Structure formats: structure tokens, C-alpha cells
Amino acid sequence: MLLGVIADDFTGASDIANTIACGDGRSGGMITSQYMGIPSNPADPSVEAGVISLKTRSSPKDEAVAQSLQALRWLKAQGCEQIVFKYCSTFDSTAEGNIGPVAQALAAELGVGGVVVCPAFPRAGRTIYQGHLFVHDRLLNESGMQNHPLTPMTDADIRRWLSSQVEGPVGMVPLQTVRRGSEVLAQALVQGGQQLVVVDAVEDADLRLIGRACAGAPLVTGGSGVALGLPANFIRQGQVQGRSGNSFLGIEGPEAILAGSCSGATRGQIEQHAKRHPVLPISVDHVMAETIGVPQVLSFIMEHAGRAPLVYSSGTPEQVREAQGRYGREAVSATLDNLFATTAQAFLNNGGKRLVVAGGETSGAVAQALDLGEVMIGPEIDPGVPILISARRNAVLALKSGNFGQQDFFEKATRMLAGAPA
């Protein structure tokens, strides 16, 4: 294994695994496996890039740092020459969050400075200019992310936001320096002496330059886009041949869609899906009162097998705040995650084969509950969302970040999991 990734949630892990497996579209990608948690056994020798999925995005700093360092040590033991710390392309983290502390702990463990911080993902509309993160044409704090129920982002200045989390100054490399070339960029990363450096990127070409500048860098941090140019470095050095194509044939069988995200994108996808497919809304009040549970949800799914049934608990920011006010934020999140996770278990145990999950926290809870083990990366459904193939479960999945996917994502995903073309 040459390239190792530590991802702070399960959908983000799938996202960057997809980027590495596909490569930059020119020279090919790497043979990539995703691990649901830190493995206890050595990796298969054929794996060139390994992505460890953690569920630390909303964890206390000490817990997130400890798990990330444990993941780092396993990856180094597999021979990894470069480590990527992957977080969300909307930098989901409060001012007291753990992205900065984890990045600093990894840098200290590896003894490096001038570490890239770049959550840009242009294909999904996330760009960084003058250190500010945009979602399409809106500053991050005006994009809806300011209403996130767990990690509200109220400032688009990533350098300022990160500075509140770390010790010491945070550097910044502007776009005009990036576009002067990879050699100039590599020098700019270290000349200021800062441990962490925010780097602008507004196009895939910028990410390729960043990737080339990071050839040989022990640590890189960012969204999935930051890995776009990394496989090409190993290919140029003759360490890997470059993966191309995919032989995924799909799996037939019962399908289910579980959506726990409250993002605007997911709410729109639910509305679109409901026009042609059966949907079951889950009331927070009913779940908290235990008047609806796994038996009722599973019955709905199996009754509508073959019609892409969707079960969701997804409300407007106002509805989310009201529910959190009645029951407490942590209680609502934990109860809904448990319902979706145990439903997913029951679904696969009853012959389910195709599972789509929306929402980072929900996906993490489901993936942990299913004990998927190592999963292989299949074709891309939409930017940032690949098919995941679990040999242990003889099932296929798609784990979608709340903000990702086109309007018809749910219908398209269930078809592609069965082997249909995009």
C-alpha cells in the first residue's frame, strides 16, 4: 500500500476512495479499498491505496485525535508513503471542532510542516478563493451550511476558522501562486514556516497542480478533490500502473433507501423521488415516543420491494431546531441513527441486496452496524458517490453525503447498483 487516507466520516471516505480509484481522468487511478473502521489485520498486498472510514467528524477533539493517530499507525505499517486526512468539502466543523487538532497531531507524528489544507471540490461546486470557501456562487456561511444541525458553519474564511482550532499561525497560498506551477507552489508551502497552509483552488486543473506539488509530501489534508492529482505521482514514478475501467456487473435483489440528512439537496431529492416511488416519512416525535420502529419500517420496505422504497427523516432547519429543543440534539441524532442502522441490519438479514443511505452521520451509523469489512470501489453514481461492493455481505451500497447528488440520485443509484448504466 502506497497511499493511505484517514477520513472523518463514511460518506467522505467513499468520496475520496472514488477519486483515487478514478484518478485525474488522464493517467488512471489506483487499486483502492475502503475499510469500515481501523482494520485489525494487514491489508491485501494488491491494494495500492487504502481509505479508513472513521466516525469522528462530531467527536470530541481528544477522541478524534486518538482514533486518527491509530489509523495513521496502521496505514504506515502497511507501507504507506503518503497520508491524506480527508474532511468534508464544506469543512464541517465548529470553531471548537477537531479538524485543526487532528491535522496538527498527524503533522506532529510525521514531523512535517507546510501541510496543504484544501477542502475544494469544484465538480460539486466547492471552491476556495483568497482563503474563502464557496458553495457554487455563495459563501459557505450563506449556502445553508450555517443551519447545519451538528456543525453550523458561520464563517467562510477557512484560515480564520482553522486558526480558532489550532496553535500557531495558519498560512495561505492564493490562486495566483498556485497557477504559477507546482514547483513555485511547493516552495510557497514551506517558505512561511507555518504547519498548516490553506491553498486556493477553483478548478480541477488547480487541484492537479496541488497534487503534483505534493509529490513525496508525507501529509496532505482536504476534501476528496485534493487527491485528484495524487495517483499520477505514483504512476510517474513507476510504482503503480494506473487503474482504468471497472468490471462491476451489479447485484439484483430487494432495494431500500434510507435518508437521514436534512440538507436542502437531500430534501429536494426526496421530493423528486416521491413523484414516482413509495416513500415513508419518519416523525421524530413518533420515533422518540417509540410508536414507530424497525418492524414497521422494514415492513414498508419489503412490501414495496422492486419500487425503490425510500424511508426518510428529513426536515427544514426550523423543524430540526424545534425537535432538538424538545428532546435534545444528541438524543434526536442518536435515536434516529439507531433506527436507520438497525433497519439496515434487518433489511440485509432478510435478503436485501441494494442499499442507498443519505447523510454523513446516518451513513456512518449504518456502515458500522452492518460490519461490512473491506469494500471495493465500483463505478461512480454522481460526483463523489461511488458504488461500494461488500463481499462479506454479498451486497452493494451507496453512501451519500447530504449535499451530494443530482435531483434523480435515488432512482439512479438503485438502478446502477443492479448493474444498469448511468
Side-chain angles (χ1 to χ4, degrees):
M1 189 181 293
L2 297 166
L3 180 62
V5 179
I6 302 163
D8 68 359
D9 82 339
F10 285 70
T11 57
S14 299
D15 180 4
I16 196 167
N18 177 66
T19 300
I20 295 168
C22 293
D24 63 6
R26 298 174 179 178
S27 54
M30 301 172 75
I31 299 172
T32 307
S33 282
Q34 180 177 343
Y35 305 95
M36 303 301 176
I38 302 169
S40 55
N41 298 314
D44 187 299
S46 67
V47 175
E48 297 167 341
V51 181
I52 293 180
S53 315
L54 301 179
K55 195 173 186 291
T56 54
R57 178 164 299 171
S58 303
S59 298
K61 286 180 275 192
D62 290 348
E63 180 181 325
V65 167
Q67 289 189 37
S68 300
L69 288 174
Q70 185 182 353
L72 169 65
R73 290 160 189 159
W74 184 87
L75 290 167
K76 291 293 288 182
Q78 310 314 305
C80 288
E81 299 177 2
Q82 185 170 63
I83 302 296
V84 180
F85 170 39
K86 196 278 177 192
Y87 38 80
C88 189
S89 58
T90 45
F91 209 77
D92 295 13
S93 179
T94 66
E96 297 78 33
N98 63 45
I99 289 178
V102 169
Q104 283 203 314
L106 296 174
E109 178 90 355
L110 294 168
V112 296
V115 176
V116 165
V117 175
C118 184
F121 187 13
R123 286 205 300 158
R126 280 70 161 161
T127 57
I128 304 175
Y129 182 67
Q130 297 296 338
H132 288 67
L133 185 52
F134 288 80
V135 178
H136 299 292
D137 62 344
R138 298 285 182 180
L139 285 164
L140 178 66
N141 57 301
E142 299 173 358
S143 69
M145 280 301 299
Q146 70 272 26
N147 299 316
H148 193 286
L150 296 178
T151 53
M153 292 297 295
T154 56
D155 190 352
D157 188 330
I158 298 303
R159 180 169 45 168
R160 184 165 55 210
W161 200 250
L162 190 60
S163 295
S164 69
Q165 299 180 354
V166 301
E167 298 177 1
V170 176
M172 203 273 284
V173 176
L175 187 65
Q176 55 265 41
T177 301
V178 173
R179 291 186 172 174
R180 289 175 63 192
S182 58
E183 292 184 3
V184 172
L185 172 55
Q187 293 172 357
L189 288 171
V190 298
Q191 67 185 12
Q194 297 97 347
Q195 190 177 45
L196 303 177
V197 182
V198 177
V199 181
D200 281 355
V202 301
E203 297 177 352
D204 282 355
D206 303 323
L207 295 172
R208 293 188 185 96
L209 284 170
I210 293 169
R212 185 144 193 168
C214 290
L219 179 64
V220 182
T221 86
S224 64
V226 79
L228 186 67
L230 299 182
N233 294 331
F234 294 101
I235 294 168
R236 276 193 298 269
Q237 294 163 8
Q239 293 174 283
V240 301
Q241 291 185 343
R243 176 183 186 271
S244 61
N246 198 297
S247 59
F248 176 72
L249 299 176
I251 295 181
E252 294 284 355
E255 76 283 27
I257 305 163
L258 306 176
S261 168
C262 296
S263 74
T266 296
R267 296 201 310 273
Q269 290 158 354
I270 291 169
E271 182 179 354
Q272 176 72 16
H273 196 75
K275 295 176 181 178
R276 299 179 56 185
H277 303 277
V279 300
L280 175 66
I282 300 293
S283 162
V284 172
D285 292 326
H286 290 168
V287 175
M288 299 302 290
E290 299 183 353
T291 57
I292 187 169
V294 174
Q296 295 91 339
V297 177
L298 182 63
S299 175
F300 170 82
I301 290 171
M302 301 311 289
E303 178 185 345
H304 295 95
R307 299 179 59 202
L310 182 152
V311 179
Y312 71 93
S313 177
S314 184
T316 64
E318 293 75 21
Q319 291 169 330
V320 171
R321 283 193 292 269
E322 289 175 5
Q324 291 176 340
R326 287 195 296 275
Y327 304 109
R329 188 180 75 175
E330 289 76 13
V332 170
S333 177
T335 302
L336 288 174
D337 284 351
N338 182 66
L339 173 62
F340 285 122
T342 51
T343 296
Q345 282 181 314
F347 172 64
L348 292 193
N349 290 341
N350 282 271
K353 295 297 181 184
R354 294 176 287 149
L355 181 62
V356 180
V357 187
E361 295 296 320
T362 305
S363 293
V366 167
Q368 287 180 319
L370 292 180
D371 187 27
L372 297 168
E374 178 182 355
V375 297
M376 297 303 293
I377 307 302
E380 184 178 70
I381 300 170
D382 269 340
V385 192
I387 291 172
L388 306 180
I389 307 157
S390 173
R392 178 181 294 180
R393 280 288 197 166
N394 188 29
V396 286
L397 302 90
L399 306 179
K400 182 190 86 73
S401 175
N403 290 305
F404 280 17
Q406 302 299 315
Q407 281 283 293
D408 64 344
F409 176 82
F410 292 132
E411 180 176 334
K412 179 173 23 174
T414 55
R415 287 191 293 102
M416 289 187 66
L417 292 177

